[in-house]
Amino acid sequence: MVVSDTVIEILSKLPPESLLRFKSVCKSWYALIDNPKFVTKHLLNSFSHKHVLIKRALTNNSGEQELVFSILKFSFDRSLSIMNINLPFQEIDPLLEICGHSHGLVCLTDCDDAFLVNPMTKQSRKLPPSILIFRTGSYDPYSYSAVPFSIGFGYDAKSNDFKVVRIVSFRGYSTMVMCPHIRVEIYDLSKDKWREIEAPPFCGDANCTPHFDMYHEGTFYFWGHGESSIFEADHIVTFDMSQEVFSKISVPESYDDKKHKTSLGVLNRSMVLFVYPFESNEKNIDIWEMEKDESSVVSWSKLLTIDPTLGIEHPLLFVSSEELLMESSEGHVIMYNTKTHRFKKLPIEGEVTYTKPNRFEATDLFIKSLVSVEGGRDMINYGF
């Protein structure tokens, strides 16, 4: 049975959770919802519906911690709807970190291994092994190893492909070098394999810092630790997913690596930097906006400083120009209004895992989609 254009139009505007149920209606609907052209049409209709995605760990009925995605939607009257999604995969460890999301796909990693997950369809895919990482397993002074520094996921609009970039450090255990030898590899989902690209010509460790690293509009942002032996300051490392080039951005001069922690966010489509103290009794949070001139030179402008009450661990992200989500020391997500200075506890709790100090990883601008983790040339066909 041929599905009419009217039905296709209606179905393309429904959320993925409804469409997945409707696949059992009849064979023609099943085939339609799996069709790459329909997936693309649905995706294009979904871009205007942005959500907040929160990753957290919870203890299940068996007493084991499992990974839970919570998808938050704030309505115009500021009421909140929450969809909790448990991923039923044994190999998806709750300790894995988010290293970027795009078009409804989320990349999870421990830097060694990487998984692509669509929380809505519950598809997952473990990426092939690195072509650069190796460990000797020995502390012999002559041994040599290649260990991952950082990893990021994003979308290349030029090639219509999803990519994962991984920075790998080559070093010997007793080797005293000013900068570790860096190499970089790229994974293309359409080709399902890794390839090596030219490494950045500057020093500094772009370490895995999940509370900071993020993807936004074609660029992935890493935190770069400066090299004190050459008086290099901490900085932000960027990677352009289409051009496949790295750049370096300075941070505000008031930042002190011995006193402050940082994280990135988005406010009104602009990148913002949160700078806040290590000490729990000092909770001033400076918020800086990234600005670019006509020559793409980056500068920082302080937007505001907020002084939340004690019990706030760190900021998560903005959900509007005046509303900021933060993590409380009691394990809840708190909404803070920067204008009224009022707090609201949201019904979202998280647990501390034995290796992670933060209970929540949060990212905004998440889109619920049917996009497959399997890749292929037709995964996003904008010719529809």
Side-chain angles (χ1 to χ4, degrees):
M1 182 178 69
V2 177
V3 183
S4 70
D5 291 343
T6 302
V7 172
I8 292 175
E9 190 65 31
I10 294 172
L11 292 178
S12 69
K13 296 179 180 179
L14 297 179
E17 58 270 29
S18 298
L19 293 173
L20 293 174
R21 293 196 304 269
F22 292 164
K23 290 177 71 173
S24 61
V25 170
C26 60
K27 291 182 179 179
S28 59
W29 280 29
Y30 186 100
L32 170 70
I33 294 169
D34 273 353
N35 188 292
K37 288 187 176 182
F38 178 82
V39 170
T40 302
K41 184 176 181 64
H42 178 268
L43 176 68
L44 295 176
N45 287 335
S46 301
F47 277 128
S48 59
H49 305 289
K50 303 296 194 302
H51 302 77
V52 172
L53 177 71
I54 293 181
K55 184 185 81 72
R56 54 195 174 126
L58 292 177
T59 300
N60 59 25
N61 295 331
S62 302
E64 298 178 346
Q65 280 192 329
E66 63 181 6
L67 185 153
V68 177
F69 281 121
S70 295
I71 299 176
L72 283 58
K73 180 67 175 178
F74 294 88
S75 62
F76 289 110
D77 62 1
R78 307 320 292 156
S79 61
L80 172 65
S81 63
I82 303 173
M83 175 186 294
N84 293 323
I85 300 174
N86 300 66
L87 297 181
F89 307 113
Q90 296 296 326
E91 58 185 354
I92 301 292
D93 193 310
L95 299 180
L96 294 176
E97 307 282 6
I98 295 176
C99 63
H101 74 88
S102 183
H103 297 66
L105 300 188
V106 181
C107 190
L108 299 171
T109 186
D110 60 3
C111 276
D112 276 1
D113 293 320
F115 297 82
L116 289 184
V117 175
N118 184 324
M120 301 310 303
T121 64
K122 296 189 178 182
Q123 281 187 313
S124 75
R125 177 191 183 96
K126 185 176 181 179
L127 302 191
S130 165
I131 59 174
L132 298 179
I133 296 173
F134 67 88
R135 291 180 173 85
T136 61
S138 168
Y139 285 88
D140 184 283
Y142 298 103
S143 66
Y144 200 62
S145 64
V147 296
F149 260 9
S150 199
I151 187 168
F153 168 76
Y155 180 70
D156 175 5
K158 187 177 180 180
S159 65
N160 286 352
D161 203 357
F162 295 100
K163 294 180 177 179
V164 179
V165 55
R166 179 157 43 204
I167 303 172
V168 178
S169 172
F170 287 72
R171 57 178 63 186
Y173 288 108
S174 64
T175 304
M176 299 299 293
V177 292
M178 185 171 294
C179 294
H181 175 48
I182 298 295
R183 292 170 67 179
V184 178
E185 60 183 352
I186 290 278
Y187 171 83
D188 304 287
L189 182 58
S190 64
K191 300 175 182 176
D192 190 30
K193 64 181 181 181
W194 295 90
R195 55 186 169 86
E196 187 172 2
I197 65 168
E198 184 176 357
F202 46 81
C203 294
D205 298 345
N207 286 335
C208 280
T209 47
H211 65 278
F212 182 90
D213 300 347
M214 70 175 295
Y215 167 80
H216 181 61
E217 294 186 348
T219 300
F220 199 90
Y221 296 82
F222 304 94
W223 182 253
H225 293 282
E227 178 55 59
S228 59
S229 62
I230 58 173
F231 306 102
E232 182 186 42
D234 288 353
H235 50 272
I236 298 172
V237 177
T238 67
F239 180 75
D240 186 303
M241 286 288 174
S242 294
Q243 301 298 324
E244 297 187 354
V245 294
F246 289 89
S247 300
K248 187 164 62 171
I249 298 175
S250 300
V251 296
E253 292 183 0
S254 61
Y255 166 77
D256 185 337
D257 64 346
K258 296 178 177 60
K259 297 180 179 179
H260 296 137
K261 295 185 286 186
T262 58
S263 59
L264 277 178
V266 178
L267 176 61
N268 299 327
R269 299 196 66 179
S270 296
M271 297 295 297
V272 292
L273 179 71
F274 299 104
V275 180
Y276 50 103
F278 280 113
E279 298 296 330
S280 59
N281 59 344
E282 301 178 28
K283 281 301 175 185
N284 285 350
I285 301 174
D286 291 333
I287 302 173
W288 298 79
E289 181 180 20
M290 182 188 295
E291 300 175 339
K292 291 185 180 182
D293 63 17
E294 296 178 353
S295 302
S296 295
V297 176
V298 172
S299 61
W300 296 96
S301 173
K302 185 185 285 189
L303 286 179
L304 72 157
T305 298
I306 60 177
D307 185 15
T309 59
L310 293 176
I312 297 299
E313 289 295 315
H314 61 91
L316 293 172
L317 52 81
F318 278 101
V319 295
S320 74
S321 59
E322 300 177 358
E323 295 169 314
L324 176 65
L325 296 188
M326 296 191 284
E327 178 179 325
S328 77
S329 56
E330 296 179 348
H332 294 90
V333 174
I334 302 292
M335 179 183 285
Y336 175 70
N337 190 296
T338 61
K339 295 291 186 182
T340 65
H341 307 293
R342 292 180 178 177
F343 291 87
K344 179 181 179 181
K345 184 168 75 172
L346 303 184
I348 305 172
E349 298 181 2
E351 300 172 359
V352 175
T353 57
Y354 68 91
T355 61
K356 309 298 180 186
N358 300 336
R359 294 175 174 86
F360 306 103
E361 283 185 73
T363 183
D364 59 356
L365 306 177
F366 177 75
I367 298 169
K368 297 195 294 185
S369 81
L370 298 168
V371 174
S372 173
V373 301
E374 296 302 322
R377 285 295 181 185
D378 294 328
M379 56 188 175
I380 297 181
N381 183 356
Y382 285 111
F384 187 88

